[in-house]
Amino acid sequence: QVQLVESGGGSVQAGGSLRLSCAASGQTYTMAWFRQAPGKEREGVAVYHADGFDRDGSTRYADSVKGRFTISKDNAKNTLYLQMNSLKLEDTAMYYCAADEWVGPNRRLKPSEYKYWGQGTQVTVSS
């Protein structure tokens, strides 16, 4: 069983930055950030995957955040990060950290593929 604890959410003005953190209690190859706005489906934001074939880690981003968000992982701390820059009003959502032992490369932005979830942290962007 892997436990995930997010932190770092908050309120920020449009154009500002926030960094989310997700501390994991166990090891998994695939970790990701998802978000869900009121009345909308949960959507994949960014994925970090590292295994024996790709030890440096590979990343993938939703088109809506490419060039603005950066996902990274500190393996020593077993903590996943999401650096969010140039935030927009439409980035407002509850952000969730997710993990699974291994998710295939074509499915890593699909929430149904992940077994472990954090409790979420709210990000609110205002004008």
Side-chain angles (χ1 to χ4, degrees):
Q1 187 76 10
V2 175
Q3 293 185 330
L4 305 172
V5 179
E6 303 105 330
S7 60
S11 298
V12 64
Q13 288 191 323
S17 298
L18 283 174
R19 189 177 81 154
L20 306 183
S21 299
C22 172
S25 65
Q27 297 295 331
T28 57
Y29 288 133
T30 312
M31 296 186 75
W33 289 99
F34 289 82
R35 67 185 180 186
Q36 189 167 19
K40 294 188 177 181
E41 293 185 353
R42 190 168 297 189
E43 63 172 351
V45 175
V47 178
Y48 180 94
H49 179 88
D51 58 27
F53 298 100
D54 191 1
R55 293 173 182 172
D56 292 335
S58 65
T59 60
R60 180 175 295 177
Y61 298 91
D63 289 343
S64 58
V65 306
K66 282 181 182 177
R68 300 188 298 121
F69 291 11
T70 303
I71 191 170
S72 62
K73 186 179 180 186
D74 184 329
N75 289 316
K77 296 181 179 179
N78 204 20
T79 298
L80 186 73
Y81 300 100
L82 184 68
Q83 178 66 44
M84 306 185 294
N85 298 329
S86 302
L87 282 161
K88 303 177 180 180
L89 297 179
E90 52 264 42
D91 294 319
T92 294
M94 185 71 79
Y95 283 70
Y96 297 91
C97 177
D100 198 273
E101 282 80 6
W102 195 89
V103 179
N106 295 325
R107 303 188 65 79
R108 289 173 185 161
L109 286 176
K110 296 183 181 298
S112 59
E113 296 297 314
Y114 290 82
K115 186 183 305 179
Y116 308 111
W117 290 86
Q119 80 286 354
T121 186
Q122 178 68 37
V123 171
T124 302
V125 184
S126 60
S127 59

